[in-house]
Amino acid sequence: MFHAKAFAPFENLATKLQPHASGSDDGSHDIAHILRVFKNAMRIQAVEGGDARILAAAVLLHDCVAVEKNSPMRSQASALAAKKASVILVELGWDGDDIAAVAHAIVAHSFSANVPPETLEAKILQDADRLDAVGMVGAGRCFYIGGRMSSALYDPFDPAGDNRELDDKRYVIDHFQTKLFKLAGGFQTKTGRALAATRDQRLRDFFAAFLDEI
């Protein structure tokens, strides 16, 4: 059941946008993910500033088009989501400049799209979304996606990839080194960087403990 109050003070906006918010059955990009990103974004915005309404709409619609991680269309997912979000906001009577601001934030949030965020709201959304990829939640999502992609947990003979090429499509644990450990260095805001540093250490501690157990 959807609880709009969780998106306070944007309950009305959340109610209108929630039906469009998630485009698939992917449990790593569901309404729980969107709520976590919203909380991250509001936490950063409270310190850094920016238009909270623009940010809330961008959060709610940033995954409105679903493209699987292993799809050749993956790098276009955020652009497709931005286009769909723009249509939705036009129908709700939003101003053109505000729609453009939301669309840019959505396009620029994606790691695979490699589009630099040019506004504060875009920088905050990118940070808020990437915070959900580090720390304990990031580890959980990583293994969930690996299972969804039918990947093995690790190479039983070289789990850390010391003497082989890392392959995160074949082994879930490889994704820590190919992507997740690289995220903390790319955060856009001071607040985001501080939050990322804490979560990055948790992720590295998890990785070390995982290797120790196998």
Side-chain angles (χ1 to χ4, degrees):
M1 181 182 295
F2 178 72
H3 296 279
K5 290 182 179 180
F7 292 89
F10 298 102
E11 298 95 330
N12 291 337
L13 181 62
T15 298
K16 293 175 182 177
L17 297 183
Q18 183 271 331
H20 310 285
S22 182
S24 77
D25 62 350
D26 181 357
S28 66
H29 294 90
D30 56 5
I31 195 65
H33 164 70
I34 293 168
L35 180 55
R36 291 192 303 271
V37 174
F38 176 79
K39 291 177 178 178
N40 291 338
M42 292 300 109
R43 186 174 179 181
I44 296 171
Q45 188 273 337
V47 178
E48 303 284 343
D51 189 320
R53 176 173 170 267
I54 295 292
L55 187 57
V59 168
L60 284 156
L61 295 175
H62 79 280
D63 281 337
C64 65
V65 171
V67 180
E68 290 284 5
K69 290 286 188 182
N70 59 354
S71 168
M73 294 284 289
R74 181 62 190 171
S75 64
Q76 300 177 46
S78 65
L80 294 171
K83 184 178 293 187
K84 181 178 178 179
S86 297
V87 172
I88 293 167
L89 295 177
V90 166
E91 293 173 351
L92 292 178
W94 275 50
D95 173 82
D97 289 343
D98 288 348
I99 293 173
V102 171
H104 170 65
I106 292 174
V107 169
H109 92 273
S110 170
F111 183 90
S112 56
N114 196 29
V115 175
E118 298 177 355
T119 64
L120 180 55
E121 293 78 20
K123 292 175 181 179
I124 292 173
L125 177 58
Q126 187 182 104
D127 282 3
D129 186 64
R130 291 186 185 184
L131 279 172
D132 209 47
V134 293
M136 293 298 92
V137 172
R141 292 177 73 215
C142 182
F143 282 99
Y144 171 89
I145 293 169
R148 189 177 176 90
M149 300 294 106
S150 299
S151 303
L153 289 179
Y154 59 91
D155 180 340
F157 304 107
D158 187 3
D162 295 326
N163 298 293
R164 62 174 175 82
E165 185 175 350
L166 294 171
D167 183 356
D168 61 357
K169 291 182 174 60
R170 187 174 183 184
Y171 303 116
V172 177
I173 201 66
D174 284 13
H175 195 61
F176 283 62
Q177 296 184 81
T178 60
K179 179 179 178 181
L180 301 187
F181 289 160
K182 300 176 182 178
L183 293 178
F187 275 68
Q188 301 290 327
T189 67
K190 182 177 179 180
T191 306
R193 285 192 293 273
L195 294 169
T198 299
R199 297 193 186 192
D200 179 67
Q201 188 57 56
R202 292 173 184 165
L203 196 65
R204 292 175 186 275
D205 291 343
F206 176 90
F207 181 76
F210 183 92
L211 293 181
D212 181 66
E213 291 188 9
I214 56 176

